[in-house]
């Protein structure tokens, strides 16, 4: 494979994200293995960044004042839009970048999933939010439990839509902590700051101890944060049940597989006996 320069043709499967070079893909995989996180600079083109920002601004406006049980009362200073996959198909496009898929497949694809092509993702979306920091987010893991070793089952992808530095609540993380086999120390001293420029992406293993600084500047910095996980991890929302029909109809088979439509547990043994299904198992409409 040739190594495209950053200005090379845009990736055909993900309009307006940048085609990643072979070296970038390999470095991201190595960094994720060793450090538990990786950065991809300039992931969104200027055009894609403007589009994502405009799409998010519409959603922020539409959800102003909304109350979310279990969230709004706990983190009143933060701003968050949930379930981006239900809001606008545009938010799903960056997730289909071919280089990004290769990085994620290296960690999250089940090699024993014959019903989907070996060169296609069989991992799924677990959650997709946009957030802007308010109060500090203490160090935590998102993997539900720690475990040492080279295998993981969940990753987060953050795409910065604004410049995000220490003054407005950038990500904090503890390099290597994904291999510790321990839950985070909430107040661990000396985590690394991960400043990002608008359009940059970062990935981290969900076992990694991470959090976010408070926003002290008053200047909001939004990121899209997608959780990608192995096909068998329970999503945080009912993604296949909640997707609006109009968005479902506009998606490719590959995107529907990403949303979990190929790996739903059969309702009972007469409907099926294997959750690892192919594109032909995608239902006619959202749900089963
Ligand atoms: O905003 C960030 O960079 C981290 C957010 C995060 O860790 C989370 O939402 O679980
Ligand atoms: Fe997190």
């Amino acid at each position: 494979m040739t190594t495209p320069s950053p200005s090379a043709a845009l990736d055909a499967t993900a309009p307006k994200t940048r085609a990643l070079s072979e070296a970038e893909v390999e470095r991201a995989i190595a960094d994720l293995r060793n450090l538990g996180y990786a950065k991809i600079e300039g992931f969104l083109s200027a055009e894609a960044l403007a589009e994502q920002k405009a799409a998010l601004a519409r959603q922020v406006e539409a959800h102003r004042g909304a109350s979310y049980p279990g969230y709004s009362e706990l983190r009143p200073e933060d701003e968050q839009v949930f379930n981006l996959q239900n809001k606008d198909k545009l938010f799903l496009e960056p997730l289909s970048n071919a280089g990004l898929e290769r990085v994620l497949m290296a960690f999250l694809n089940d090699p024993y999933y014959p019903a989907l092509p070996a060169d296609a993702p069989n991992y799924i979306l677990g959650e997709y939010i946009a957030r802007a920091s308010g109060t500090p987010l203490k160090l935590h893991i998102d993997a539900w439990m720690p475990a040492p070793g080279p295998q993981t089952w969940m990753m987060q992808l953050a795409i910065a839509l604004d410049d995000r530095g220490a003054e407005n609540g950038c990500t904090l993380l503890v390099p290597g902590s994904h291999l510790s086999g321990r839950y985070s120390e909430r107040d661990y001293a000396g985590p690394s700051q991960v400043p990002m420029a608008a359009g940059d992406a970062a990935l981290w293993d969900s076992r990694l101890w991470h959090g976010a600084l408070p926003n002290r500047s008053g200047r909001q910095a939004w990121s899209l944060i997608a959780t990608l996980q192995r096909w068998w991890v329970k999503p945080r929302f009912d993604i296949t049940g909640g997707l609006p029909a109009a968005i479902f109809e506009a998606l490719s088979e590959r995107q529907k597989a990403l949303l979990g439509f190929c790996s739903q547990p059969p309702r009972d043994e007469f409907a099926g006996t294997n959750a690892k299904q192919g594109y032909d198992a995608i239902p006619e409409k959202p749900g089963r």
Side-chain angles (χ1 to χ4, degrees):
M1 184 171 159
T2 54
T3 301
S5 71
S7 59
L10 298 173
D11 191 305
T13 58
K16 300 169 210 152
T17 53
R18 182 170 62 77
L20 306 187
S21 71
E22 190 66 26
E24 277 181 296
V25 169
E26 280 168 17
R27 197 185 58 230
I29 291 173
D31 284 351
L32 280 160
R33 278 201 207 296
N34 300 325
L35 304 172
Y37 77 102
K39 262 181 85 168
I40 301 171
E41 284 172 9
F43 180 63
L44 296 185
S45 68
E47 190 190 347
L49 176 62
E51 240 175 28
Q52 295 288 338
K53 282 179 72 112
L56 181 63
R58 287 193 289 274
Q59 295 308 322
V60 171
E61 198 45 47
H63 294 86
R64 199 171 293 291
S67 174
Y68 306 116
Y71 176 80
S72 303
E73 65 278 23
L74 290 181
R75 302 199 59 82
E77 304 296 320
D78 293 3
E79 281 218 64
Q80 195 154 313
V81 179
F82 290 85
N83 284 310
L84 295 182
Q85 77 283 355
N86 292 346
K87 311 290 192 266
D88 194 326
K89 174 180 179 285
L90 203 66
F91 295 123
L92 290 170
E93 287 184 3
L95 307 185
S96 297
N97 176 283
L100 174 72
E101 282 186 349
R102 278 183 52 208
V103 174
L104 291 167
M105 283 169 63
F107 293 93
L108 301 178
N109 252 31
D110 181 346
Y112 299 102
Y113 193 135
L116 284 172
D119 61 354
N122 63 46
Y123 56 79
I124 59 169
L125 186 70
E127 182 179 41
Y128 199 5
I129 63 166
R131 78 177 291 272
S133 292
T135 42
L137 192 57
K138 288 198 172 183
L139 292 176
H140 62 278
I141 64 171
D142 287 316
W144 300 120
M145 66 173 217
Q151 302 288 349
T152 191
W153 53 94
M154 197 183 287
M155 296 245 162
Q156 255 91 26
L157 167 74
I159 302 174
L161 298 189
D162 298 297
D163 292 343
R164 197 168 175 224
E167 73 293 348
N168 57 359
C170 72
T171 308
L172 287 176
L173 49 79
V174 181
S177 55
H178 62 308
L179 301 176
S180 68
R182 291 193 292 128
Y183 287 101
S184 61
E185 289 165 29
R186 297 300 244 180
D187 298 308
Y188 176 88
S192 304
Q193 296 176 3
V194 185
M196 285 165 75
D200 288 353
L203 285 153
W204 60 86
D205 186 317
S206 305
R207 298 173 298 169
L208 194 75
W209 301 5
H210 69 278
L213 286 167
N215 186 345
R216 294 208 178 83
S217 72
R219 191 168 47 78
Q220 264 190 339
W222 282 94
S223 309
L224 309 180
I225 303 186
T227 301
L228 291 316
Q229 57 195 31
R230 289 189 185 249
W231 66 266
W232 43 264
V233 180
K234 189 192 286 186
R236 293 174 197 217
F237 290 92
D238 179 6
I239 292 184
T240 52
L243 193 72
I247 294 184
F248 176 84
E249 280 153 23
L251 298 181
S252 67
E253 288 184 329
R254 203 167 166 118
Q255 286 176 310
K256 288 174 184 165
L258 177 69
L259 297 190
F261 286 101
C262 294
S263 50
Q264 302 190 77
R267 187 183 52 252
D268 59 30
E269 74 278 24
F270 302 104
T273 55
N274 183 358
K276 290 191 276 185
Q277 293 291 313
Y279 299 131
D280 54 354
I282 294 170
E284 298 280 298
K285 50 185 175 35
R288 290 179 178 277

